[in-house]
Amino acid sequence: MNEDWVATIGVALAPWWLMLRELPWMAISIQLILAWIVAVVIHHFLTPVLQRLAAPLPFSRRLLQYGHRAGRAVVFLLLAQVILRNAPDTLAGVEAVRHVGALALISAMTWLGVRCVRAVMHVIIELHPADTPNNLEARRIQTQTRVLGRTIIVVVILIGSGAALMTLPLLRQIGTSLLASAGFAGLVVGFAAKPVLGNLLAGMQIALTQPIRLDDVVIVQNEWGQIEEITGTYVVVRIWDQRRLIVPLQWFIENPFQNWTRTNADILGTVLIWVDYRMPVALLREEAERLCRDAPEWDGRLVQTQVVESSERAMQVRILVSAGDAGRAWDLRCRIREGLVDFVQRRHPEYLPHLRTSSWKDDGDEQLPAGIDKRQ
């Protein structure tokens, strides 16, 4: 009975066995399908387990979140390479399929490398949020992370692209034939790639030396704004009126600019007001101090009132005030200026700037001031 059952199974499988022997590509295809199933099953069951184990570890958790699909592709393509390498070399088209598989494996590994770099970038940025009041250190770390991370991504893509191109025999032959003229070609490539390489090196320098950081308040091209984004080639400056100024990275290395938040965000602001010479400065000083005490933008560090200029008509009074950042300083200056103007208008309108004139009465023999002709 058992022998009949074995014989029945053998007769049923015999045609498939003969077909696999006569059609080797079918056997390879079945092995590739099985390899894909194995990769999917491993990914389906192993990924949740690893995620639970990596839950308390931010870097491992984010690496799994960003790279699990790319990792599945790499596992399948590695198994596919093993299957294709074990295939007979006499099989028609096997070399072309092996080459396509190698290219796919290089692409998958490049994809996995890019995703891992992005995962590390995002974890570092999350661990150092910039929405806190004292965010100088966080902005420094975020700027370095973004610039260096994007640079590493470019390098990973370049390495992957170079590895993929080097698998092409035609390109290797072209490279060998051009070896004699490598010096001239290097000069041509150097001149052609100068803007790209310059911005890449400028990005590295900005990341290391930190002349600018994200959310820094800067004056660029006589425009006041904040650093909104730093890419691998340019910087986006968000101007106060919601325009965007796009500046190449290399510009910040080669040109001077103002950074109002280089070491801290504290800043001083000035308010200038013209009044008559008869205006008691003490009254303006008291009113300026009262306005600062009532202003939510004032940080309590400094309020100073001084006469800084005088003309033939009036004197100029400067009120120097302090604030936590440039935005609050602007609002505080406007508040103090409006309050002082209103104070002078309501309480002491007689001390507004006056235009004084003098005249002489000509009664014939009256002595006129020297230099004035009576006949004029």
Side-chain angles (χ1 to χ4, degrees), residues 271-279 284 306-319 337 340-341 344-345 348-349 351-354:
V271 177
L272 300 176
I273 182 172
W274 287 92
V275 292
D276 192 75
Y277 279 107
R278 297 176 298 166
M279 177 71 196
L284 285 178
Q306 295 175 315
V307 177
V308 295
E309 187 60 75
S310 61
S311 67
E312 68 279 2
R313 294 178 52 192
M315 62 179 178
Q316 187 182 61
V317 180
R318 185 192 70 180
I319 297 89
R337 187 181 296 110
L340 291 178
V341 170
V344 176
Q345 286 178 342
H348 306 283
Y351 296 151
L352 292 171
H354 294 282

Side-chain angles (χ1 to χ4, degrees), residues 22 125 131:
E22 296 296 329
I125 291 172
D131 55 356

Side-chain angles (χ1 to χ4, degrees), residues 281-293 305 340 343:
V281 179
L283 295 180
L284 285 178
R285 184 174 290 111
E286 293 175 1
E287 181 64 15
E289 293 174 356
R290 187 192 68 80
L291 291 172
C292 283
R293 287 193 299 269
T305 304
L340 291 178
F343 171 75

Side-chain angles (χ1 to χ4, degrees), residues 1-11:
M1 187 70 179
N2 291 335
E3 294 179 356
D4 294 339
W5 180 73
V6 172
T8 302
I9 294 176
V11 172

Side-chain angles (χ1 to χ4, degrees), residues 86-122:
N86 290 328
D89 295 337
T90 58
L91 188 62
V94 69
E95 289 298 330
V97 176
R98 287 173 179 172
H99 186 255
V100 172
L103 291 176
L105 179 60
I106 292 173
S107 301
M109 295 180 69
T110 304
W111 178 27
L112 178 61
V114 171
R115 297 296 293 174
C116 290
V117 173
R118 289 189 180 277
V120 174
M121 285 175 54
H122 290 174

